[in-house]
Amino acid sequence: GRAWGSRGMEAAAGSCWAPLPSWWGLLRGLLLAVLAAGSCQGNSVERKIYIPLNKTAPCVRLLNATHQIGCQSSISGDTGVIHVVEKEEDLNWVLADGPHPPYMILLDGNLFNRRVMLQLKGTSRVSGLAVAIAKPSPPQGFSPGLKCPNDGFGVYSKDYGPQFAHCNKTVWNPVGSGLSYEDFDFPIFLLEDANETQVIKQCYQDHNVPRDGSGPEYPLCAMQLFSHMHAVTSTVTCMRRSSLQSTFSINPEVVCDPLLDYNVWSTLQPINSSGKVDPEKQVIIVATRIDSHSFFWNIAPGAESAVSSFVTHLAAAEALHKVSDVHLLQRNIMFTFFQGETFDYIGSSRMVYDMEKDKFPLRLDNIHSFVELNQVALRNDSILWMHTDPVSRMNESVEVQVRNLLDILSNSSMEASVTLQEAGYSQPLPPSSFQRFLRARHIPGVVLTDHKTAFQNRYYQSMYDTPENIRMQYPEGLSPEETLEYVTDTAKSLAEVATVVARALYRLAGGANNTSAIQADPKTVSRMLYGFLIKMNNSWFQSIIKPDIKGILGDVPQHYVAVSSPVNTTYLVQYVLANLTGTVVNLTKEECLNPEKIPSSEKEMYEYAWVQGSLDPNSTSRVPYCVRSTVHLSKALSPAFELRQWGSTEYSTWTESRWKEIRARIFLVASKELEIITLVVGIAILIFSLLATYFINAKADILFSIPRDPGAVAY
């Protein structure tokens, strides 16, 4: 467009100004050069005014049946003068003394707590907030989640174990501030890059630092945050608006989306995924969650709250699949990885719903027992606690089965360095997927955790639930490939837990042989911890996924459930599970992608995947192959949206608002007086220009007349 405009302008200039004297042609050339330079460099003007902040994460709006939580900016973004707050006394300037409100606060991560945030929420002198990550993590702990996670959506209620409802007996997350569940009417961003944080601080030091107790002089350093959210009030309101738009509009504008993804599941012995398991066939469910959350969008490292448990689960699945007589076991084992559990048990409630409605291969009647791995990385004295439901154990037959389950688990740990202990008969279940199954039926089950009562995890559902939180340490100087293969103490510890779980499951399924050979591989656990916590884009993950989804391998892993599915975590759990439990089969690419064309493929029993394979040592190409496994995906969308019951109290109703743009930038802002003067001068120049143009146009025949040729004068 610009090139065409320049050529058109030049052509027009040539045709209009050709008769003018040569000096005018020189002036014309100079003018064109200036215009061309302006058109080529016009886009750099913004870069000279603004410094964009590219490594940020916003707080966004989420909604449920009754509330909206999170943050948003105004539709055109919010702007304010930057003030750095590194200690609580610095807040006085923002809240009372500062002469240039509203302020954008650069808040030290150690001050990002409920007390400070509620102070800022209650004033009009704050237009937004940028939070710098605290390093090291706050020693007192930081959890913006609830003290009683998923309260009201588990098994305990006024009708079932009322003494345990609302965490009356045990407060599971005592450091939980509930900050993630507050609603803020100004934008809040996380600064992920220390260099960008330093740029903001330097700008503040140069322009905004108060001098001798009085306000700094203009120009001042300011920040602008854009995070306007389209949805308001509640899921009921936003889904109704989206539904009306979809019904009556040609171009519907959806304002919110349900949180959804897929559960990952597989079985030890293959079953027909499109049929129904025989009613008399018993299945043991092993379960864990694979999602996490924090105050900021898509910042969910979840090292202890999710990754430690699902990595242990994957290692146990691998160990069991290596046992020679698993096909002879009288009970099948189903490995289940639930998505969306952080938001009122989305994945587990959907699986129970599908089982009840005959939309899943298993029915609730097929479940023999339930073993769930919860937070397991922060054990004291190598003790793993076994939690059971005291209410269902009042039933004699359930009590017998639970007692048998506990005995098998305890016996399986005798030769290991992990000690299993009962949490106590009067102790309720911690927040767990098992609770959703108990709501439907009295199923014998146990939840394994590293805590007897309150969580050991002081950073539950926060940005600080990182590899450091579960004590992952690597020697300095290792290359990425060496780090991937390095076996940490954390990996050894989780491999021991996986070994105990695998041995117990083998016994529970009816295995009679010696279990000492069942052993989880610490090297596999190390690779998984590195991939799911430090760097997804590593050589092992590259080799086990399909070529068409290699784009999912970002650098820093996050485990937020989101609204576009499947998310990276789901894909990777699916392919890691297939790699650890599947079989490499000798099929061509065409046969692997279309197994129904092969008579012996048993397509109903298995899934086939054509994966990239490792790099050939002698070239840059990969050696792909076909993997056959029993790994499947099932929908993890709350039944509330299937039933269009957006105000449900039975099922999760969480949605995420849509937005147009998320961005942050800093710049220098002039005083109001200077801005007014600039505006007035600009208007004056405009008026003068219009008058000058009018008079020049009126006298054009005199000013621009062409002189006559002297030789043509007649006497």
Short mmCIF file of all heavy atoms in Angstrom, two decimals, residues 23 65 76 173 185 269 271 273 290 382 389 408 420 547 552 554 571 599 617 619 637 661 664 671 681:
data_model
loop_
_atom_site.label_atom_id
_atom_site.label_comp_id
_atom_site.label_asym_id
_atom_site.label_seq_id
_atom_site.Cartn_x
_atom_site.Cartn_y
_atom_site.Cartn_z
N TRP A 23 14.44 25.08 -10.07
CA TRP A 23 14.58 25.14 -8.60
C TRP A 23 13.36 24.56 -7.91
O TRP A 23 13.45 23.96 -6.85
CB TRP A 23 14.81 26.59 -8.13
CG TRP A 23 13.68 27.54 -8.42
CD1 TRP A 23 13.53 28.31 -9.52
CD2 TRP A 23 12.54 27.78 -7.59
NE1 TRP A 23 12.37 29.03 -9.46
CE2 TRP A 23 11.74 28.73 -8.27
CE3 TRP A 23 12.12 27.30 -6.34
CZ2 TRP A 23 10.54 29.20 -7.77
CZ3 TRP A 23 10.94 27.79 -5.84
CH2 TRP A 23 10.15 28.72 -6.54
N ALA A 65 -21.41 -20.15 38.44
CA ALA A 65 -22.86 -19.97 38.43
C ALA A 65 -23.31 -18.69 39.13
O ALA A 65 -24.35 -18.13 38.80
CB ALA A 65 -23.54 -21.18 39.09
N SER A 76 -10.32 0.73 26.81
CA SER A 76 -9.18 1.33 26.12
C SER A 76 -7.88 1.17 26.89
O SER A 76 -6.87 1.81 26.58
CB SER A 76 -9.45 2.82 25.87
OG SER A 76 -9.75 3.47 27.09
N ASN A 173 -5.85 -26.37 53.30
CA ASN A 173 -4.89 -25.40 52.76
C ASN A 173 -4.87 -24.15 53.64
O ASN A 173 -5.37 -23.09 53.25
CB ASN A 173 -5.29 -25.04 51.31
CG ASN A 173 -4.27 -24.16 50.63
OD1 ASN A 173 -3.08 -24.22 50.92
ND2 ASN A 173 -4.73 -23.32 49.70
N ASP A 185 -11.33 -4.67 39.84
CA ASP A 185 -11.78 -3.86 38.70
C ASP A 185 -10.63 -3.09 38.05
O ASP A 185 -10.85 -2.12 37.34
CB ASP A 185 -12.90 -2.90 39.12
CG ASP A 185 -12.46 -1.94 40.21
OD1 ASP A 185 -11.29 -2.03 40.66
OD2 ASP A 185 -13.28 -1.10 40.63
N GLN A 269 -5.18 -54.44 30.55
CA GLN A 269 -5.63 -55.40 29.55
C GLN A 269 -6.55 -54.66 28.59
O GLN A 269 -7.43 -53.91 29.03
CB GLN A 269 -6.38 -56.55 30.22
CG GLN A 269 -5.53 -57.33 31.23
CD GLN A 269 -6.38 -58.17 32.18
OE1 GLN A 269 -7.61 -58.13 32.13
NE2 GLN A 269 -5.72 -58.92 33.05
N ILE A 271 -9.48 -53.27 26.29
CA ILE A 271 -10.94 -53.42 26.29
C ILE A 271 -11.50 -52.73 25.05
O ILE A 271 -10.83 -51.89 24.44
CB ILE A 271 -11.60 -52.82 27.56
CG1 ILE A 271 -11.34 -51.30 27.64
CG2 ILE A 271 -11.12 -53.52 28.82
CD1 ILE A 271 -12.13 -50.61 28.75
N SER A 273 -13.13 -50.04 23.38
CA SER A 273 -13.41 -48.66 23.79
C SER A 273 -14.75 -48.16 23.28
O SER A 273 -15.29 -47.18 23.79
CB SER A 273 -12.30 -47.73 23.30
OG SER A 273 -12.20 -47.77 21.89
N ILE A 290 -4.21 -33.81 36.34
CA ILE A 290 -3.07 -33.33 35.56
C ILE A 290 -3.12 -31.81 35.34
O ILE A 290 -2.37 -31.28 34.52
CB ILE A 290 -2.96 -34.06 34.19
CG1 ILE A 290 -4.24 -33.91 33.37
CG2 ILE A 290 -2.61 -35.51 34.39
CD1 ILE A 290 -4.13 -34.49 31.96
N SER A 382 9.79 -40.08 54.83
CA SER A 382 9.37 -41.07 53.82
C SER A 382 7.98 -41.66 54.08
O SER A 382 7.67 -42.75 53.59
CB SER A 382 10.40 -42.21 53.72
OG SER A 382 11.63 -41.70 53.27
N ASP A 389 -12.56 -42.80 53.35
CA ASP A 389 -13.79 -42.10 53.71
C ASP A 389 -14.46 -42.78 54.90
O ASP A 389 -14.92 -43.92 54.80
CB ASP A 389 -14.74 -42.10 52.52
CG ASP A 389 -16.11 -41.55 52.89
OD1 ASP A 389 -16.16 -40.55 53.63
OD2 ASP A 389 -17.12 -42.13 52.44
N ILE A 408 -3.01 -54.47 51.74
CA ILE A 408 -2.19 -54.74 50.55
C ILE A 408 -1.20 -53.61 50.32
O ILE A 408 -0.01 -53.84 50.03
CB ILE A 408 -3.09 -54.96 49.31
CG1 ILE A 408 -3.80 -56.30 49.41
CG2 ILE A 408 -2.28 -54.89 48.02
CD1 ILE A 408 -4.83 -56.55 48.33
N LEU A 420 3.96 -46.60 54.55
CA LEU A 420 2.55 -46.20 54.40
C LEU A 420 1.84 -46.28 55.75
O LEU A 420 1.95 -47.29 56.44
CB LEU A 420 1.84 -47.10 53.38
CG LEU A 420 1.86 -46.56 51.94
CD1 LEU A 420 3.24 -46.73 51.33
CD2 LEU A 420 0.84 -47.25 51.08
N PRO A 547 4.22 -36.08 14.31
CA PRO A 547 4.84 -34.93 13.63
C PRO A 547 3.91 -33.72 13.51
O PRO A 547 4.36 -32.58 13.58
CB PRO A 547 5.18 -35.49 12.23
CG PRO A 547 5.21 -36.97 12.39
CD PRO A 547 4.24 -37.30 13.48
N ILE A 552 3.28 -28.11 19.80
CA ILE A 552 2.84 -27.97 21.21
C ILE A 552 4.01 -27.87 22.17
O ILE A 552 3.84 -27.52 23.33
CB ILE A 552 1.94 -29.16 21.65
CG1 ILE A 552 2.75 -30.46 21.72
CG2 ILE A 552 0.73 -29.29 20.75
CD1 ILE A 552 2.05 -31.59 22.42
N GLY A 554 6.32 -26.15 23.78
CA GLY A 554 6.85 -24.86 24.18
C GLY A 554 8.01 -25.05 25.14
O GLY A 554 8.42 -26.17 25.44
N TYR A 571 -1.96 -33.71 25.66
CA TYR A 571 -1.27 -34.40 24.56
C TYR A 571 -0.06 -35.16 25.07
O TYR A 571 0.16 -36.33 24.72
CB TYR A 571 -0.80 -33.38 23.52
CG TYR A 571 -1.78 -33.08 22.42
CD1 TYR A 571 -2.07 -31.76 22.07
CD2 TYR A 571 -2.39 -34.10 21.69
CE1 TYR A 571 -2.95 -31.47 21.03
CE2 TYR A 571 -3.27 -33.81 20.65
CZ TYR A 571 -3.55 -32.50 20.33
OH TYR A 571 -4.42 -32.23 19.30
N PRO A 599 -6.68 -56.39 8.70
CA PRO A 599 -7.62 -57.33 9.35
C PRO A 599 -7.30 -57.62 10.82
O PRO A 599 -8.18 -57.77 11.64
CB PRO A 599 -7.48 -58.60 8.50
CG PRO A 599 -6.92 -58.13 7.19
CD PRO A 599 -6.08 -56.94 7.49
N PRO A 617 21.50 -40.88 14.28
CA PRO A 617 22.82 -40.37 14.69
C PRO A 617 23.67 -39.88 13.52
O PRO A 617 24.52 -39.00 13.68
CB PRO A 617 23.48 -41.58 15.36
CG PRO A 617 22.37 -42.49 15.72
CD PRO A 617 21.28 -42.27 14.72
N SER A 619 22.52 -38.50 10.65
CA SER A 619 21.90 -37.48 9.80
C SER A 619 20.99 -36.59 10.64
O SER A 619 20.89 -36.77 11.86
CB SER A 619 21.09 -38.14 8.67
OG SER A 619 19.91 -38.72 9.19
N LEU A 637 -15.56 -32.05 29.86
CA LEU A 637 -16.41 -30.87 29.84
C LEU A 637 -17.50 -31.10 30.88
O LEU A 637 -18.16 -32.15 30.87
CB LEU A 637 -17.03 -30.67 28.46
CG LEU A 637 -18.16 -29.64 28.35
CD1 LEU A 637 -17.64 -28.23 28.62
CD2 LEU A 637 -18.83 -29.69 26.98
N GLU A 661 -7.48 -8.02 23.41
CA GLU A 661 -6.02 -7.93 23.42
C GLU A 661 -5.50 -7.89 24.85
O GLU A 661 -6.16 -7.39 25.75
CB GLU A 661 -5.52 -6.71 22.63
CG GLU A 661 -5.95 -5.37 23.22
CD GLU A 661 -5.33 -4.19 22.50
OE1 GLU A 661 -4.35 -4.39 21.75
OE2 GLU A 661 -5.81 -3.07 22.69
N ALA A 664 1.03 -4.83 27.55
CA ALA A 664 1.50 -3.87 28.55
C ALA A 664 2.65 -3.07 27.95
O ALA A 664 3.43 -3.59 27.15
CB ALA A 664 1.97 -4.61 29.80
N SER A 671 2.95 16.69 31.70
CA SER A 671 1.97 17.25 32.63
C SER A 671 0.71 17.65 31.88
O SER A 671 0.72 17.88 30.67
CB SER A 671 2.55 18.48 33.34
OG SER A 671 2.75 19.51 32.38
N VAL A 681 -1.64 25.08 20.95
CA VAL A 681 -0.70 25.47 19.89
C VAL A 681 -1.00 24.72 18.61
O VAL A 681 -0.97 25.29 17.51
CB VAL A 681 0.76 25.22 20.36
CG1 VAL A 681 1.73 25.38 19.19
CG2 VAL A 681 1.13 26.16 21.49
#
